[in-house]
């Protein structure tokens, strides 16, 4: 028992005098490690008689528990002391403003949809929406697109799979948002002014085409609508969108759903490889348009003898490329955020419906 008391006093004194975590660990190993004095003493219990173990066992276990508790208490005291010293050396001024964090932004395509919607809304157009999976009647027949038209072939259009015995009409991923115009006419009749922004799908993939892209199509139907009204609407839109007066040029063309039809060019110039809209002697094609074909009006449930209207359609992705100087349409869908920041979309600086 004298040995136990001697070890108790020795290690309690060393524990109390340990000035660091390293020194305290050395004391622990000397006392309770595999080869520590108290551990070696505990092994001697097996050599004792039962009577000796009744007395020595509780005493040794008590010593072990007391030293272990002292080690834990000293470790906690050393950690508290170290924290106090750190708090004295380090400090934080909670009154300082927080670090600046980059704000998120909507995608440039979404931003352009928003900009276009706002401009056309000022001219009395409301937004119409429709399904992205359409029957071929809404996507083709109602728009006066003949059965032999190339767009109705599988190499141009995504047709939905049909199981054997499924006799429903063919369905496609819509190739334009024009079907929305048919649905809007059927639902609202005339007069009507709507735009139809949304995703469309075609089998294209190059610098200026992707299998999925975005369009915005518009139409206005009334009793005295003319090509002059169409020209005014488009010039007002381009001027508001590009922030400068923009002249347009109409070139005769052909679309199944309009008659007469026209490709629309905007005035532009190229300076050091950069496009400048609204100046110079150059012209750039941006959209197709025309007066709505009587068969299209009839498909929408409107009498072409009483009403007439114009329609137009443009690619939203391409409009974003023109405004923000983006060279490759595929970059919208295949790049990371560093690419968007390069074109000024790293932080949102203008109010939108998504963020103020």
């Amino acid at each position: 028992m004298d040995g136990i008391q001697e070890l108790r006093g020795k290690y309690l004194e060393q524990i109390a005098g340990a000035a660091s975590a390293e020194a305290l660990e050395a004391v622990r190993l000397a006392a309770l490690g595999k080869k520590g004095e108290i551990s070696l003493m505990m092994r001697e219990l097996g050599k004792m008689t039962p009577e000796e173990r009744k007395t020595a066992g509780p005493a040794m276990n008590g010593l072990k528990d007391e030293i272990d508790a002292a080690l834990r208490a000293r470790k906690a005291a050393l950690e508290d002391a170290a924290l106090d010293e750190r708090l004295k050396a380090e400090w934080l001024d909670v009154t300082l403003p927080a670090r600046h964090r980059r704000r998120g932004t909507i995608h440039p395509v979404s931003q352009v949809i928003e900009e276009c919607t706002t401009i056309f809304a000022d001219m009395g157009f409301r937004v119409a929406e429709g399904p992205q999976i359409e029957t071929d009647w809404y996507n083709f027949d109602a728009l006066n697109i003949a059965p032999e038209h190339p767009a109705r072939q599988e190499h141009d259009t995504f047709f939905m799979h049909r199981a054997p015995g499924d006799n429903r009409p063919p369905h496609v991923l819509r190739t334009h948002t024009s079907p929305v115009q048919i649905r809007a006419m059927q639902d609202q009749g005339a007069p009507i002014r709507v735009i139809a922004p949304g995703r469309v799908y075609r089998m294209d993939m190059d610098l200026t085409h992707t299998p999925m892209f975005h369009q915005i199509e518009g139409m206005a139907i009334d009793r005295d609508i003319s090509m002059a009204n169409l020209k005014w609407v488009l010039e007002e839109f381009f001027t508001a969108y590009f922030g400068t007066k923009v002249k347009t040029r109409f070139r005769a063309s052909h679309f199944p759903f309009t008659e007469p039809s026209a490709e629309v060019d905007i005035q532009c110039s190229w300076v050091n490889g950069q496009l400048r809209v609204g100046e110079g002697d150059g012209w750039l094609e941006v959209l197709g348009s025309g007066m709505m074909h009587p068969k299209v009006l009839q498909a929408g449930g409107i009498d072409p003898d009483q009403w007439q209207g114009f329609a137009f359609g443009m690619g939203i992705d391409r409009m974003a490329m023109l405004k923000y100087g983006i060279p490759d349409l595929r970059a919208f869908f295949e790049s990371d955020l560093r690419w968007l920041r390069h074109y000024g979309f790293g932080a949102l600086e203008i109010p939108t419906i998504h963020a103020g």
Side-chain angles (χ1 to χ4, degrees):
M1 292 297 182
D2 291 340
I4 291 176
Q5 291 301 321
E6 183 179 339
L7 288 176
R8 177 179 180 277
K10 171 184 174 181
Y11 284 112
L12 289 178
E13 182 179 353
Q14 290 183 10
I15 291 170
S20 65
E22 292 77 11
L24 187 64
E25 178 64 10
V27 175
R28 187 192 70 80
L29 291 174
L32 301 178
K34 288 185 178 181
K35 297 182 179 180
E37 287 189 88
I38 296 176
S39 299
L40 293 175
M41 178 182 289
M42 295 288 291
R43 294 177 187 174
E44 296 297 322
L45 286 172
K47 301 178 181 179
M48 296 180 183
T49 64
E51 292 298 324
E52 291 173 331
R53 281 199 296 272
K54 288 182 182 180
T55 304
M60 290 184 184
N61 284 321
L63 172 63
K64 179 183 177 182
D65 292 342
E66 185 176 1
I67 297 302
D68 183 64
L71 286 166
R72 293 177 182 275
R74 183 58 180 166
K75 182 179 180 181
L78 289 173
E79 289 175 349
D80 289 343
L83 180 60
D84 289 339
E85 290 300 317
R86 183 179 176 185
L87 291 175
K88 291 177 183 179
E90 301 178 8
W91 59 278
L92 176 67
D93 186 351
V94 296
T95 65
L96 289 174
R99 292 186 179 94
H100 174 71
R101 297 181 65 182
R102 297 183 66 92
R103 297 179 63 192
T105 176
I106 61 173
H107 193 278
V109 169
S110 299
Q111 183 164 307
V112 169
I113 291 175
E114 197 171 282
E115 293 172 1
C116 295
T117 300
T118 301
I119 295 169
F120 282 116
D122 288 341
M123 291 187 280
F125 290 79
R126 73 169 192 85
V127 174
E129 297 180 325
Q132 295 181 44
I133 299 177
E134 276 287 11
T135 66
D136 66 344
W137 187 86
Y138 276 105
N139 197 79
F140 298 121
D141 294 324
L143 294 162
N144 197 36
I145 298 176
E148 66 274 10
H149 195 282
R152 303 190 73 153
Q153 306 305 312
E154 291 187 352
H155 58 72
D156 275 357
T157 298
F158 293 99
F159 283 83
M160 306 304 293
H161 175 70
R162 277 283 179 267
D166 188 342
N167 296 320
R168 289 179 298 168
H171 282 66
V172 300
L173 293 179
R174 67 184 182 189
T175 60
H176 41 196
T177 58
S178 299
V180 179
Q181 297 177 345
I182 302 296
R183 293 179 178 275
M185 286 189 283
Q186 291 176 336
D187 292 341
Q188 301 174 45
I192 185 174
R193 270 184 283 183
V194 297
I195 55 170
R199 296 183 183 91
V200 297
Y201 306 85
R202 297 179 191 174
M203 290 189 178
D204 284 324
M205 187 62 176
D206 56 39
L207 287 174
T208 57
H209 298 87
T210 57
M212 187 280 286
F213 56 103
H214 302 79
Q215 278 189 342
I216 184 166
E217 301 196 16
M219 71 174 180
I221 300 174
D222 213 319
R223 297 196 184 274
D224 299 314
I225 290 288
S226 69
M227 290 286 283
N229 300 124
L230 170 63
K231 184 176 179 65
W232 179 87
V233 166
L234 293 178
E235 288 191 347
E236 286 295 305
F237 166 74
F238 291 129
T239 296
Y241 179 73
F242 290 107
T244 185
K245 184 66 177 177
V246 179
K247 295 180 180 179
T248 61
R249 181 180 69 176
F250 281 39
R251 289 180 292 106
S253 185
H254 169 73
F255 303 111
F257 26 81
T258 52
E259 181 60 39
S261 302
E263 300 278 6
V264 180
D265 304 333
I266 56 175
Q267 178 191 16
C268 68
S269 66
W270 293 89
V271 179
N272 297 324
Q274 291 188 334
L275 175 69
R276 295 186 179 180
V277 175
E279 63 178 53
D281 299 324
W283 297 95
L284 180 68
E285 177 189 327
V286 289
L287 60 84
S289 65
M291 299 300 293
M292 298 183 71
H293 197 287
K295 290 185 178 180
V296 175
L297 292 172
Q298 289 175 336
I302 294 176
D303 185 354
D305 293 328
Q306 300 295 322
W307 304 90
Q308 60 190 36
F310 64 72
F312 59 87
M314 68 187 86
I316 295 174
D317 312 86
R318 187 155 185 261
M319 295 302 295
M321 293 170 66
L322 294 177
K323 184 170 183 176
Y324 297 107
I326 300 168
D328 188 338
L329 179 62
R330 292 171 296 186
F332 279 135
F333 309 103
E334 299 176 1
S335 316
D336 59 23
L337 293 177
R338 291 170 295 179
W339 179 89
L340 290 177
R341 285 196 291 270
H342 176 73
Y343 288 100
F345 289 91
L348 196 60
E349 297 178 353
I350 61 174
T352 74
I353 61 174
H354 297 280

